[in-house]
Amino acid sequence: MARYADVIIDISRGQLDKSFQYRIPAELEETVQIGSQVRVSFGSARRKITGYVIGISKQPKLEESKIRPLDGTVRDSIAIESQLIALAVWMKDHYGSTLNQALKTVLPIKVKAASREKKSLRLLLSLEEAKAELLAMRARKRHSAAKERLLEALMKDESLPWELVTEELSVPSANIRDLEKKGWLAVESSRSMRNPLETPQKSGKRIQLNEQQKRVCESFAADWDLGRRGTYLLYGVTGSGKTEVYMKMIAQVLSQGRQAIVLIPEIALTYQTVMRFVSRFGGQVSILNSRMSAGERSDQFERARTGEIQIMVGPRSALFTPFPKLGLIVIDEEHENSYKSETVPKYHARETAIERARLAKASVILGSATPSIEAFFRAKKGEYSLLCLSSRVENRALPDCQIVDLREELKAGNRSVISRRLGQLITDRLKKREQIMLFVNRRGLAGFVSCRSCGSVIKCPHCEVAMTLHKNGRMSCHYCGYSMPVPTVCPVCGSRFIGGMRAGTEKFEEIIRQAFPGAGVLRMDADTTRMKGEHKRILETFANQEADILIGTQMIVKGHDFPNVTLVAALAADLSLNSSDFRGAERTFQLLCQAAGRAGRGDKPGQMVIQTYQPEHFAIVDAARQDYVSFYEQEMAYRSLMSYPPAAHMLVVQVMSDLEQAAESAAALLADLLRRARPGGRIDGPVRARIARLADVYRQAIYIRDENYDLLIEDKNRIQDRLLKDKSLRAVNVWFDFDPMNAF
Ligand code: ADP
Ligand code: ZN
Ligand code: ZN
């Protein structure tokens, strides 16, 4: 039976949503696959052009006789565009988006050249085809010597500079255009690139890897030499020297003519981190960041494609760097939330990297001091290889960590947010002129209800997540919609100190300034860093020791190195612990461990204080002991019991409309559709989203959980089909979020 290929024609001009169907001739059955670059005749003039296959099916969309066959495939069918297109098709299926959205995410946008262009010619025929054409031309004995010369040259060198062809080979440009029209070759242009790193210099100084670093590198190298490619989880405590290990592995991959991508969370993408790579690899490195113009980004991608650079360092989007022979993808701090895209397609860089690596026959290194529960789960199942760095380099100690029970403070009559112990320590550090970081791990906007006497938090009886407090005096569960009034006394201990816990950094700053009038206090949060450059200015002021206390949100605990900081405190650990989604404990554990890593970076030992109403909660206890494995086991038991990821997969169907009624009825209709299609399925909702109305858009959510990801994809497809067919659903927008990172 015949098969048909959907072909998109012009990827450079952004016309990505139009595809055309061609028949796959028998001789190409074996070679054509998703992503293949193919030659076709297009339009009524039967113009010979190339395109990419984005889908293969058995159903003709037109009358059989009207479908033209593919003319052939382009010789280098492992071209990087082919791989990226195959990746986009996977992302569309896996995360739910249109193909257009997926392609736009993955394919580098070509930005119009402002600088001088360089043209080159590329052969589109296979070697056999080219040979046959060459023989035919010779047999005809027409005056085609120049064309023959060109074809011969292109059979030796797949790509040739325009100048070389027109000058050294003296092929007239009219001849080149003739062959271009026949679809034998393509004329491509590139241009001289800007370089974001001025005169990158390698430095001579090299660190000698210690024994455990060596062991990890050798294990990777042994696999690599045997041709084994896969995903590795590098679990190494803070300061264990992970970056040195990444660089060693990258060097290994580069020595075999392959390239590497290093993903780093945007917030940690500082000059210092990048310079570590530059001083090791010099001009082979380039970077991407969100402050770059489209033109600058496009240039960096082009430098990667042409082989000018071998290593790209950047945030999530650097994953799509068009390296022709990618060998390794490193994801540093793999547990970070920012690796999940919050725009459609809502892809996770970890899984997408693994898929890209599979297509490119490359390996992936995931690195973290506090691996995501997902990654550690996969490592324990044997899907990833686990590599460990269990001690800090030069055996530097982790800071001493103390938990302060805020319930005891209340009992002793201290209603302030600063415990007596923390107060003493702050006074002591101010006296010694050492510095202090205080952080408020506040997340999102939702408040929860808790008892200040016994620490109990009101949770949904069905979902085991904290209920969200609403202005109308009721609480509701974000997943299943269960709702109840806020109690006036604690259901556990009867205390009347029960209520919503909300606290902002601004309030804390005021309290600290009052309690320590002589101290220099800086605040860093979303409000004080709104202006460009403020973030950097605050950190510099603190680094120059022009302030004693830095108070801020989780933004202050990531990746900075302040040797004079000897005291770090989490003012209210409960704020992130009791978030309205299932990841609260994980986030708290990660934040507290990271914060602990901030104290005592210099010669003076550090100390950490965690203030909480739930001192016996495992996330707090294990963070204080820096015991990841114990934390993992308890958290995983909870996820398994409740079927939360990674024990099962979760799909959130996000239904949005400017009309409240439309959002509600559409969500109800879709939930009904899903329940009918899979009567046994675990489907919750629809419920109003945690933020039920945002920018005048009403938001509803349906939650689906299943161990089998494919069933969730089928549910997603069901909804997409229905949205296409059902006119009554025109007023709503539907997004999909698989294994969500943030509450919707
Ligand atoms: P991590 O990423 O695991 O927190 P880093 O790679 O940033 O750790 O290393 C922490 C510090 O230790 C860096 O200043 C690094 O240069 C240094 N370092 C790494 N490996 C070694 C080593 N084998 N010997 C001495 N210093 C090292
Ligand atoms: Zn109580
Ligand atoms: Zn619930």
Side-chain angles (χ1 to χ4, degrees), residues 460-465 467 476-482 644 705:
C460 171
H462 311 290
C463 306
E464 276 297 308
V465 294
M467 305 265 279
S476 70
C477 168
H478 163 60
Y479 288 133
C480 73
Y482 176 81
Y644 288 130
R705 274 175 262 182

Side-chain angles (χ1 to χ4, degrees), residues 411-442:
K411 264 187 215 153
N414 176 16
R415 293 211 196 167
S416 155
V417 292
I418 305 161
S419 62
R420 292 162 294 172
R421 180 73 186 131
L422 180 59
Q424 284 160 8
L425 287 170
I426 292 177
T427 309
D428 173 70
R429 294 312 192 273
L430 288 175
K431 210 181 293 159
K432 293 188 192 148
R433 307 234 50 133
E434 293 171 2
Q435 288 173 293
I436 300 151
M437 286 167 83
L438 302 177
F439 88 98
V440 184
N441 35 338
R442 191 172 67 107

Side-chain angles (χ1 to χ4, degrees), residues 213-361:
Q213 285 169 317
K214 270 192 209 146
R215 216 175 329 106
V216 158
C217 291
E218 277 159 14
S219 148
F220 172 81
D223 282 354
W224 181 271
D225 290 340
L226 287 170
R228 288 197 200 129
R229 303 291 179 265
T231 304
Y232 300 79
L233 174 59
L234 177 60
Y235 161 44
V237 298
T238 51
S240 56
K242 293 186 285 297
T243 309
E244 292 300 322
V245 169
Y246 303 148
M247 291 197 288
K248 177 85 182 170
M249 291 170 173
I250 291 169
Q252 159 120 13
V253 166
L254 256 53
S255 73
Q256 318 246 308
R258 310 279 296 261
Q259 298 96 31
I261 294 171
V262 182
L263 301 188
I264 288 179
E266 179 86 42
I267 195 155
L269 197 61
T270 56
Y271 185 70
Q272 281 150 340
T273 334
V274 176
M275 283 326 279
R276 286 177 73 180
F277 286 90
V278 172
S279 65
R280 174 74 176 261
F281 297 104
Q284 291 175 295
V285 184
S286 190
I287 60 165
L288 285 182
N289 64 49
S290 59
R291 292 177 299 283
M292 285 177 159
S293 69
E296 285 173 304
R297 295 172 63 82
S298 173
D299 275 4
Q300 298 326 306
F301 276 154
E302 212 43 42
R303 295 173 74 209
R305 181 203 308 278
T306 56
E308 198 183 318
I309 56 160
Q310 273 73 44
I311 302 168
M312 182 69 89
V313 182
R316 195 174 64 218
S317 59
L319 189 52
F320 307 115
T321 306
F323 279 127
K325 286 167 92 182
L326 183 64
L328 184 65
I329 304 173
V330 173
I331 306 186
D332 189 31
E333 310 279 358
E334 65 78 30
H335 61 275
E336 278 288 320
N337 270 5
S338 61
Y339 287 127
K340 178 82 187 275
S341 170
E342 290 300 327
T343 53
V344 179
K346 299 192 171 192
Y347 67 95
H348 199 297
R350 188 194 313 121
E351 296 148 13
T352 310
I354 292 169
E355 178 64 12
R356 174 147 193 216
R358 195 184 64 78
L359 293 165
K361 300 190 174 55

